[in-house]
Amino acid sequence: MTAQRRHRCGKEVGVRLAARAAYVLRSNSNSADTATKASPELYPHQWSWDAAFNAIGLASVDLPRARTELDSLFAGQWLSGMVPHIVFDPSAGGYIPGPDRWACARVSPDAPAGVLTSGICQPPVHAIAVARLWEHAEALGPDERVRTLVWIRALYPKLLAWHDYLAQQRRHRETGLIEIFHGWESGTDNSPRWDIPYSRVQVGDDLPPYVRRDTGLVAEPSQRPTDEDYDRYLWLVEEAKRAGYDTARLRPTASFRAGDVLFTAIFASADESLARIADDLGEPQAAVLRGRAAQSRGTVLRCCDPETGLAADVDLRTGEWLRTETIAGFAPLVAGGAPPHLRHRLVEQLLGPRWAGHPRLRWPLPPSTSPFSPAFDRRSYWRGPVWPVMTWLLTLALRREGEIAAAEKLTAAGLDQLGDGTFAEYYDPFSGEPCGSLCQSWTASAALDWLLADPDVPVQAE
Ligand code: 2M8
């Protein structure tokens, strides 16, 4: 690493925080140093969208290791093209539901040989990460440039297969939204976004027993989803397993089916990144990918409330709009290309009193659910706390959309929040207390990217 960096929170503080973030991220590597645990104890395996965010964090300090992160994840890709939401480390254990419970290879011919995975997916941040790695490689000079280009060429067909899987098997025909069969697929597990669809999930009498471990690994069990939530989560795994993790078989029987607007927005942005990659590689799919990204953006715009601009999800079992005020409402910013009046409205909302401008906040950062929502719960997981990785995603989107002042504001506040060096999974928005897991990898990655990433400033010695 060189000393030349842009620091947004004072040079000394920035250097110390970056060093600590790099330490956390590297300490969370598995024993083979090929994949990053989402967190040391609570999540001792590799999660799909975490891996993408972590590759971005790693790219600031160790580009080859960042490439390996994504290679390890894609080693678990299914024959259908799906990238599973967890790739298990067989030597780690300690997570419920583990690979035996998912039993992927037993029930699906699409499961990868020799790699233990889950049977559902998460938002496709991966092509966005690859584009970011490419920016780093370009700044590092010819050697890393060539190595990274060779790597991207090998990964490209896998990314394409993943995106095609989503477009062909997960795009809901009528709404155009990406269809999910489990709140875990949204990545925002117990968010009030999903309260209505979850209220309809009837847990079967034959749900095999299980013992939770997660509640013992956080300061207060109430920071995690409830036991009732967990029964439903495990029941939905049973349903998916009984359908062989095959979406065509699952759709008619699934008791949870939602059109996820944030997933769709991330897909739009990722297709756009993949199109740029296709251009750089001289591959012929760029126009198709751009067309598909435009289609996804159009879908997201159709989900927007005309007054607030916030986007809504859809319960696909009933056709009902799900309009809870959660951070997913800012999906049009993530998707990109929103008309200027809508973009301004959303930025105004984001920084206004219902969100990052709420007077009780410890730091001016958007909570996962608006404190004005009746569903807001300041310490319960995705129901209220501030998630640094979400702040980071918004800063990326705002910068890309030219909303630099807003991006800089959130970045500065985001770094202040992480100043205690705990790199928590999420934070109580009012007291600022760290919650959930400490040393969460993607939180450290967010800090690293905020502190170190500047494509114009080389941060690694060649
Ligand atoms: C959380 O989800 C897992 C289930 O996938 C869990 O609670 O056990 C979510 O925050 C999810 O978005 C994240 O990818 C995962 C690992 O950080 O943890």
Side-chain angles (χ1 to χ4, degrees):
M1 284 195 248
T2 71
Q4 268 287 305
R5 278 168 199 141
R6 180 172 64 176
H7 298 300
R8 294 191 171 91
C9 56
K11 197 166 182 209
E12 282 307 304
V13 179
V15 168
R16 276 204 305 274
L17 195 60
R20 165 105 185 115
Y23 175 78
V24 164
L25 194 54
R26 298 302 283 116
S27 310
N28 286 348
S29 201
N30 65 359
S31 50
D33 198 15
T34 50
T36 306
K37 297 175 239 178
S39 72
E41 292 189 338
L42 190 56
Y43 312 115
H45 304 280
Q46 187 184 38
W47 261 256
S48 171
W49 72 333
D50 300 56
F53 290 117
N54 292 336
I56 292 171
L58 283 164
S60 303
V61 290
D62 187 346
L63 187 58
R65 179 62 184 78
R67 294 192 295 257
T68 305
E69 186 71 26
L70 289 171
D71 283 342
S72 301
L73 180 74
F74 276 83
Q77 184 170 31
W78 286 39
L79 292 178
S80 59
M82 183 182 78
V83 174
H85 102 295
I86 305 175
V87 173
F88 289 102
D89 175 351
S91 69
Y95 179 78
I96 305 291
D100 293 347
R101 185 96 176 193
W102 289 97
C104 294
R106 184 163 61 73
V107 303
S108 171
D110 286 343
V115 184
L116 298 171
T117 75
S118 69
I120 59 173
C121 62
Q122 276 185 330
V125 184
H126 317 94
I128 300 171
V130 171
R132 192 74 165 170
L133 265 54
W134 180 232
E135 286 172 11
H136 279 277
E138 290 204 296
L140 284 175
D143 288 357
E144 273 310 330
R145 211 172 169 276
V146 169
R147 277 187 216 117
T148 306
L149 196 58
V150 169
W151 172 76
I152 294 180
R153 205 171 275 295
L155 191 63
Y156 178 76
K158 301 178 190 178
L159 285 166
L160 209 55
W162 166 217
H163 285 210
D164 285 349
Y165 163 83
L166 291 173
Q168 287 155 19
Q169 302 203 34
R170 293 300 192 101
R171 171 98 72 196
H172 181 250
R173 244 185 235 137
E174 283 84 51
T175 62
L177 288 164
I178 294 294
E179 180 171 11
I180 59 167
F181 299 96
H182 199 304
W184 282 346
E185 295 203 301
S186 73
T188 61
D189 310 1
N190 73 339
S191 166
R193 297 170 78 186
W194 313 125
D195 283 358
I196 291 177
Y198 267 129
S199 71
R200 302 203 176 97
V201 174
Q202 294 293 322
V203 176
D205 295 338
D206 52 342
L207 175 68
Y210 66 96
V211 179
R212 287 182 74 174
R213 176 179 174 276
D214 58 315
T215 40
L217 294 173
V218 292
E220 304 153 356
S222 58
Q223 292 176 10
R224 292 286 302 169
T226 63
D227 286 348
E228 206 185 353
D229 290 334
Y230 250 76
D231 277 355
R232 292 184 178 128
Y233 298 165
L234 274 285
W235 177 248
L236 293 184
V237 171
E238 285 309 306
E239 276 190 356
K241 182 165 61 182
R242 288 171 196 186
Y245 301 111
D246 175 334
T247 47
R249 276 170 64 197
L250 180 57
R251 197 167 281 119
T253 57
S255 52
F256 180 107
R257 288 178 54 212
D260 181 333
V261 76
L262 182 59
F263 198 131
T264 309
I266 291 173
F267 186 38
S269 171
D271 255 345
E272 203 64 60
S273 295
L274 196 55
R276 280 201 303 280
I277 294 167
D279 279 339
D280 287 343
L281 296 178
E283 294 285 351
Q285 292 86 2
V288 171
L289 293 168
R290 287 208 169 89
R292 203 162 67 188
Q295 188 192 350
S296 299
R297 283 197 298 268
T299 297
V300 171
L301 291 184
R302 281 194 297 279
C303 295
C304 291
D305 181 291
E307 209 171 295
T308 61
L310 292 177
D313 301 294
V314 178
D315 186 337
L316 295 176
R317 291 189 66 203
T318 60
E320 185 180 350
W321 286 108
L322 303 170
R323 290 212 182 273
T324 322
E325 270 183 290
T326 73
I327 195 140
F330 295 98
L333 292 177
V334 174
H341 67 275
L342 176 64
R343 198 179 75 227
H344 294 148
R345 184 84 193 92
L346 284 167
V347 172
E348 193 179 71
Q349 286 275 329
L350 183 63
L351 302 180
R354 296 189 83 80
W355 293 93
H358 189 281
R360 284 190 63 194
L361 295 182
R362 171 72 179 80
W363 292 284
L365 291 167
S368 44
T369 301
S370 167
F372 278 85
S373 165
F376 173 78
D377 181 342
R378 59 193 271 198
R379 290 163 89 84
S380 172
Y381 206 39
W382 286 95
R383 304 185 73 83
V386 174
W387 286 71
V389 73
M390 285 291 116
T391 309
W392 181 86
L393 185 64
L394 287 170
T395 59
L396 179 82
L398 288 166
R399 225 166 253 126
R400 188 201 52 209
E401 297 305 292
E403 296 286 350
I404 307 300
E408 290 294 329
K409 251 187 173 163
L410 293 188
T411 302
L415 282 169
D416 272 355
Q417 182 185 50
L418 303 188
D420 70 350
T422 58
F423 300 106
E425 192 182 4
Y426 43 95
Y427 290 79
D428 180 326
F430 295 159
S431 69
E433 269 169 88
C435 298
S437 172
L438 304 185
C439 299
Q440 179 85 9
S441 300
W442 65 12
T443 307
S445 290
L448 280 173
D449 194 71
W450 278 329
L451 287 163
L452 304 184
D454 183 342
D456 302 327
V457 179
V459 294
Q460 295 164 77
E462 263 214 78

